[in-house]
Amino acid sequence: MILYSEEVLEKAWRYDCKQRSKQDQQWITQSNYRRLFEIYMDNYLAGYPVNMDIHIPDWLLEFIQTEFDDDLS
């Protein structure tokens, strides 16, 4: 389980929207993004392969990995 703020979700969703626009893809609603985001993060932290059609900012994944690594130390 991962805890995140609404601000982080909003920034990640806006990043996803920008990436979709660049690729001429339809945007997804923020509520659908939230659901996919949570699944993505759970799988990412569990070490499962993540192959989902959403875009997560690199800065967010790096932050989560750093926090996760610190918790294991």
Side-chain angles (χ1 to χ4, degrees), residues 43-71:
N43 288 335
Y44 178 79
L45 288 173
Y48 298 138
V50 182
N51 187 15
M52 299 177 70
D53 188 27
I54 64 170
H55 304 278
I56 307 287
D58 289 338
W59 62 264
L60 181 55
L61 295 176
E62 290 168 4
F63 175 78
I64 290 168
Q65 189 60 52
T66 300
E67 291 298 310
F68 186 70
D69 290 345
D70 288 348
D71 286 347

Side-chain angles (χ1 to χ4, degrees), residues 2 7 43 57:
I2 184 168
E7 181 182 359
N43 288 335

Side-chain angles (χ1 to χ4, degrees), residues 3 16 21-22 24 33 35-36 39 42 46-47 52-54 68 71:
L3 299 177
D16 182 81
S21 291
K22 289 178 184 178
D24 200 27
Y33 184 81
R35 185 177 52 80
L36 295 171
I39 293 167
D42 285 343
M52 299 177 70
D53 188 27
I54 64 170
F68 186 70
D71 286 347

